[in-house]
PDB file of all heavy atoms in Angstrom:
ATOM      1  N   ALA G  14     101.153 111.113 100.174  1.00 98.00           N
ATOM      2  CA  ALA G  14     100.375 109.884 100.551  1.00 98.00           C
ATOM      3  C   ALA G  14     100.765 109.493 102.002  1.00 98.00           C
ATOM      4  O   ALA G  14     101.938 109.547 102.365  1.00 98.00           O
ATOM      5  CB  ALA G  14     100.730 108.766  99.625  1.00 98.00           C
ATOM      6  N   TYR G  18     100.933 104.522  97.431  1.00 98.00           N
ATOM      7  CA  TYR G  18     100.772 103.778  96.181  1.00 98.00           C
ATOM      8  C   TYR G  18     102.174 103.385  95.712  1.00 98.00           C
ATOM      9  O   TYR G  18     103.031 104.226  95.523  1.00 98.00           O
ATOM     10  CB  TYR G  18     100.052 104.706  95.150  1.00 98.00           C
ATOM     11  CG  TYR G  18     100.438 104.598  93.696  1.00 98.00           C
ATOM     12  CD1 TYR G  18     100.281 103.372  93.042  1.00 98.00           C
ATOM     13  CD2 TYR G  18     100.951 105.661  92.987  1.00 98.00           C
ATOM     14  CE1 TYR G  18     100.604 103.239  91.677  1.00 98.00           C
ATOM     15  CE2 TYR G  18     101.286 105.598  91.664  1.00 98.00           C
ATOM     16  CZ  TYR G  18     101.122 104.373  90.991  1.00 98.00           C
ATOM     17  OH  TYR G  18     101.455 104.260  89.678  1.00 98.00           O
ATOM     18  N   SER G 107     104.691 116.080  89.945  1.00 92.00           N
ATOM     19  CA  SER G 107     103.826 115.405  88.907  1.00 92.00           C
ATOM     20  C   SER G 107     102.376 115.276  89.310  1.00 92.00           C
ATOM     21  O   SER G 107     101.469 115.347  88.509  1.00 92.00           O
ATOM     22  CB  SER G 107     104.382 114.028  88.520  1.00 92.00           C
ATOM     23  OG  SER G 107     104.262 113.130  89.596  1.00 92.00           O
ATOM     24  N   SER G 139      99.880 110.549  85.678  1.00 96.00           N
ATOM     25  CA  SER G 139     100.696 110.151  86.810  1.00 96.00           C
ATOM     26  C   SER G 139      99.750 109.618  87.900  1.00 96.00           C
ATOM     27  O   SER G 139      98.760 110.294  88.207  1.00 96.00           O
ATOM     28  CB  SER G 139     101.508 111.340  87.308  1.00 96.00           C
ATOM     29  OG  SER G 139     102.004 111.127  88.607  1.00 96.00           O
ATOM     30  N   GLY G 140     100.041 108.474  88.486  1.00 98.00           N
ATOM     31  CA  GLY G 140      99.144 107.894  89.453  1.00 98.00           C
ATOM     32  C   GLY G 140      98.755 108.818  90.575  1.00 98.00           C
ATOM     33  O   GLY G 140      97.577 109.010  90.912  1.00 98.00           O
ATOM     34  N   SER G 141      99.779 109.439  91.165  1.00 97.00           N
ATOM     35  CA  SER G 141      99.538 110.244  92.343  1.00 97.00           C
ATOM     36  C   SER G 141      98.643 111.496  91.997  1.00 97.00           C
ATOM     37  O   SER G 141      98.005 112.069  92.884  1.00 97.00           O
ATOM     38  CB  SER G 141     100.834 110.742  92.987  1.00 97.00           C
ATOM     39  OG  SER G 141     101.629 111.380  92.039  1.00 97.00           O
ATOM     40  N   ARG G 144      94.753 111.723  92.966  1.00 98.00           N
ATOM     41  CA  ARG G 144      94.282 112.214  94.282  1.00 98.00           C
ATOM     42  C   ARG G 144      94.300 113.731  94.343  1.00 98.00           C
ATOM     43  O   ARG G 144      93.607 114.326  95.211  1.00 98.00           O
ATOM     44  CB  ARG G 144      95.123 111.604  95.396  1.00 98.00           C
ATOM     45  CG  ARG G 144      95.130 110.063  95.456  1.00 98.00           C
ATOM     46  CD  ARG G 144      96.000 109.612  96.596  1.00 98.00           C
ATOM     47  NE  ARG G 144      97.332 110.119  96.503  1.00 98.00           N
ATOM     48  CZ  ARG G 144      98.471 109.387  96.394  1.00 98.00           C
ATOM     49  NH1 ARG G 144      98.457 108.059  96.378  1.00 98.00           N
ATOM     50  NH2 ARG G 144      99.613 109.986  96.301  1.00 98.00           N
ATOM     51  N   SER G 191     109.808 107.097  89.992  1.00 92.00           N
ATOM     52  CA  SER G 191     108.836 106.269  90.722  1.00 92.00           C
ATOM     53  C   SER G 191     108.342 105.149  89.814  1.00 92.00           C
ATOM     54  O   SER G 191     108.070 104.047  90.236  1.00 92.00           O
ATOM     55  CB  SER G 191     107.680 107.113  91.253  1.00 92.00           C
ATOM     56  OG  SER G 191     107.203 107.964  90.227  1.00 92.00           O
ATOM     57  N   MET G 195     108.815 101.479  91.240  1.00 97.00           N
ATOM     58  CA  MET G 195     107.718 100.618  91.659  1.00 97.00           C
ATOM     59  C   MET G 195     107.592  99.384  90.849  1.00 97.00           C
ATOM     60  O   MET G 195     107.245  98.319  91.288  1.00 97.00           O
ATOM     61  CB  MET G 195     106.397 101.453  91.793  1.00 97.00           C
ATOM     62  CG  MET G 195     105.860 102.003  90.496  1.00 97.00           C
ATOM     63  SD  MET G 195     104.277 102.860  90.781  1.00 97.00           S
ATOM     64  CE  MET G 195     104.699 104.358  91.555  1.00 97.00           C
ATOM     65  N   ASP G 282     108.872 109.805 100.074  1.00 94.00           N
ATOM     66  CA  ASP G 282     108.425 109.314  98.778  1.00 94.00           C
ATOM     67  C   ASP G 282     109.630 108.881  97.936  1.00 94.00           C
ATOM     68  O   ASP G 282     110.629 108.484  98.497  1.00 94.00           O
ATOM     69  CB  ASP G 282     107.522 110.389  98.130  1.00 94.00           C
ATOM     70  CG  ASP G 282     106.281 110.519  98.996  1.00 94.00           C
ATOM     71  OD1 ASP G 282     105.508 109.542  99.122  1.00 94.00           O
ATOM     72  OD2 ASP G 282     106.089 111.613  99.634  1.00 94.00           O
TER      73      ASP G 282
HETATM   74  O1  LIG N   1     102.347 108.557  90.525  1.00 90.41           O
HETATM   75  P1  LIG N   1     103.785 108.780  90.787  1.00 90.41           P
HETATM   76  O2  LIG N   1     104.664 108.367  89.694  1.00 90.41           O
HETATM   77  O3  LIG N   1     104.000 110.264  91.191  1.00 90.41           O
HETATM   78  O4  LIG N   1     104.234 107.906  92.040  1.00 90.41           O
HETATM   79  C1  LIG N   1     103.952 108.242  93.383  1.00 90.41           C
HETATM   80  C2  LIG N   1     104.659 107.376  94.349  1.00 90.41           C
HETATM   81  C3  LIG N   1     104.740 107.855  95.789  1.00 90.41           C
HETATM   82  O5  LIG N   1     104.809 109.288  95.818  1.00 90.41           O
HETATM   83  C4  LIG N   1     106.038 107.356  96.387  1.00 90.41           C
HETATM   84  C5  LIG N   1     103.590 107.359  96.642  1.00 90.41           C
HETATM   85  C6  LIG N   1     102.275 108.041  96.455  1.00 90.41           C
HETATM   86  O6  LIG N   1     101.288 107.353  96.760  1.00 90.41           O
HETATM   87  O7  LIG N   1     102.163 109.206  96.104  1.00 90.41           O
END
Side-chain angles (χ1 to χ4, degrees):
Y18 145 59
S107 69
S139 163
S141 55
R144 301 181 306 241
S191 48
M195 63 178 74
D282 295 295

